[in-house]
Amino acid sequence: MAKQNDREIQKSARKHTSSKARARGCFFWFLLIFVITIFLGGKFVNEKYIVARKAADSIYSPSKQKKTRNVSQLLKAGRPISILMMGTDTGALGRDFKGRTDTLIVVVLNPKTPKMTVVSLPRDAEVAVYGYEDAFPSKLNSAYEYGGSLTAVETVQKYLNVPIDFYATINMGGLEKLIDAVGGIEVDPLLTFSYDGQSFTKGQKTKMNGKRALAYVRMRYDDPRGDYGRQDRQRQVLTQVAFKGADVSNLLNEKFLKTISKQMVTDLSFNDLILLGLKYRVATHDMQTDSLNGQSQMIAGQSFEVPTTSEKQRVTDLLRAALALKKAQTGNTLTDSTTIDTTQD
């Protein structure tokens, strides 16, 4: 009886040992698969990181502007920031590129609210271009032609008394490729019209490829609101491209990254872009759009758009509130002062 019990105990011990061995074996294989997955995943992520880093480095072009605010501190703290988006349609962008920016949009990202405020500025607004005041009167879209991004940013800041933290210049001629690279965009046309072989129906949402979207934003003379109507359509398309571009699938899309590296320049560094992606994407969930409106006037033989002081003040108030800054008087490009009020509310 005792021998039988010993045999049963030994059998049970062998069974238990076998179960432990199998468990160790399963754990070993699980661990091996886990390590391989992490290694391959890490390699994949690393490769995508390298491509993204190269793309960001290729579009990075600091304006050498002395910033009115500590932008690095603002980004780290998740404070509201402003970006001047400029669009040009005169060919591929280069580091020595000069041309007129027919699209000027001030974008404020406020992750605290959270809200994105998008305001279009009239390209023909009458200004004294910063550093080129002797050429007054000049059109706002000539500031980039005179002195590049630094001059454009300084002029807009002084014009509205609103700090501009960063700039981004996009080749509108290359917009077609950008839209195709993100797989197209969906837009609700603001009016019914046909242009360049494309037809659009007001309020009828349509999927647009690059060619179709370019026709949508380029039409000007058949719009009852003229250039202001075109600004609204440009703002629609650019914000949709921005939303699609911020999607993770596109940030990992080599085609998109290579395309944007040829069509855009900005003074947002790679690290700045990472912080934007981590802290500011929430601001895009609620968007407020507006535009600075003026009246057409012939001045010195040229047609300008001249907003009233109250209209300029309205836009200044809107942007400063979005930036969580105290109210201040709107700007004047003819004054000698270059100080921009950055007092926080």
Side-chain angles (χ1 to χ4, degrees), residues 158-173:
K158 194 173 179 182
Y159 184 60
L160 294 173
N161 192 16
V162 170
I164 300 296
D165 300 313
F166 299 99
Y167 83 89
T169 303
I170 300 172
N171 173 23
M172 297 296 284

Side-chain angles (χ1 to χ4, degrees), residues 69-332:
R69 307 197 293 171
N70 187 331
V71 293
S72 295
Q73 191 177 71
L74 291 172
L75 286 171
K76 288 176 183 176
R79 297 280 302 173
I81 56 133
S82 62
I83 304 171
L84 177 62
M85 292 182 64
M86 296 172 280
T88 182
D89 199 12
T90 55
L93 289 172
R95 290 297 177 267
D96 297 324
F97 174 83
K98 292 290 184 295
R100 294 205 168 198
T101 48
D102 287 344
T103 305
L104 295 110
I105 301 173
V106 179
V107 178
V108 174
L109 296 169
N110 188 339
K112 306 289 186 184
T113 334
K115 180 183 283 188
M116 179 169 75
T117 305
V118 184
V119 178
S120 296
L121 306 179
R123 63 176 190 166
D124 294 335
E126 181 198 30
V127 298
V129 173
Y130 180 84
Y132 298 85
E133 288 82 3
D134 57 345
F136 177 81
S138 299
K139 295 185 178 183
L140 183 57
N141 71 345
S142 69
Y144 192 78
E145 183 179 32
Y146 279 121
S149 57
L150 185 151
T151 300
V153 166
E154 294 281 13
T155 302
V156 170
Q157 284 188 150
K158 194 173 179 182
Y159 184 60
L160 294 173
N161 192 16
V162 170
I164 300 296
D165 300 313
F166 299 99
Y167 83 89
T169 303
I170 300 172
N171 173 23
M172 297 296 284
L175 189 63
E176 180 178 343
K177 294 178 181 177
L178 276 177
I179 292 170
D180 288 338
V182 297
I185 57 175
E186 286 193 345
V187 175
D188 279 326
L190 299 178
L191 70 164
T192 299
F193 68 94
S194 294
Y195 182 79
D196 200 19
Q198 303 291 329
S199 295
F200 307 94
T201 303
K202 181 179 179 179
Q204 186 175 307
K205 183 175 285 189
T206 178
K207 178 79 176 282
M208 296 185 185
N209 60 13
K211 182 179 180 180
R212 187 165 171 77
L214 206 58
Y216 180 70
V217 300
R218 275 182 166 165
M219 190 279 286
R220 178 184 181 189
Y221 295 107
D222 290 336
D223 193 314
R225 297 185 63 237
D227 205 41
Y228 292 105
R230 184 169 70 161
Q231 287 174 16
D232 291 342
R233 285 178 276 117
Q234 289 172 341
R235 193 170 57 226
Q236 264 189 308
V237 169
L238 286 174
T239 50
Q240 285 299 314
V241 172
F243 289 153
K244 290 292 291 287
D247 189 86
V248 173
S249 63
N250 284 314
L251 290 175
L252 297 177
N253 182 338
E254 190 169 347
K255 178 184 176 183
F256 170 70
L257 292 172
K258 285 183 176 179
T259 301
I260 201 170
S261 68
K262 296 176 183 178
Q263 309 300 340
M264 177 178 170
V265 288
T266 181
D267 61 348
L268 283 157
S269 68
F270 181 69
N271 290 336
D272 294 337
L273 292 169
I274 288 176
L275 285 174
L276 280 180
L278 290 173
K279 295 187 176 184
Y280 290 80
R281 191 176 177 186
V282 65
T284 64
H285 297 169
D286 183 13
M287 181 171 63
Q288 178 182 1
T289 63
D290 210 319
S291 60
L292 175 65
N293 298 305
Q295 292 77 43
S296 296
Q297 293 185 26
M298 291 297 296
I299 303 171
Q302 295 186 73
S303 177
F304 287 90
E305 290 297 310
V306 184
T308 62
T309 302
S310 60
E311 170 66 359
K312 277 186 64 188
Q313 187 65 58
R314 181 187 71 81
V315 170
T316 293
D317 291 345
L318 173 67
L319 291 172
R320 291 185 64 85
L323 286 166
L325 299 175
K326 285 188 176 180
K327 282 190 175 184
Q329 188 175 349
T330 191
N332 184 345

Side-chain angles (χ1 to χ4, degrees), residues 32-44:
L32 181 62
I33 292 169
F34 179 76
V35 169
I36 290 172
T37 302
I38 291 297
F39 172 76
L40 293 177
K43 183 179 179 183
F44 172 79

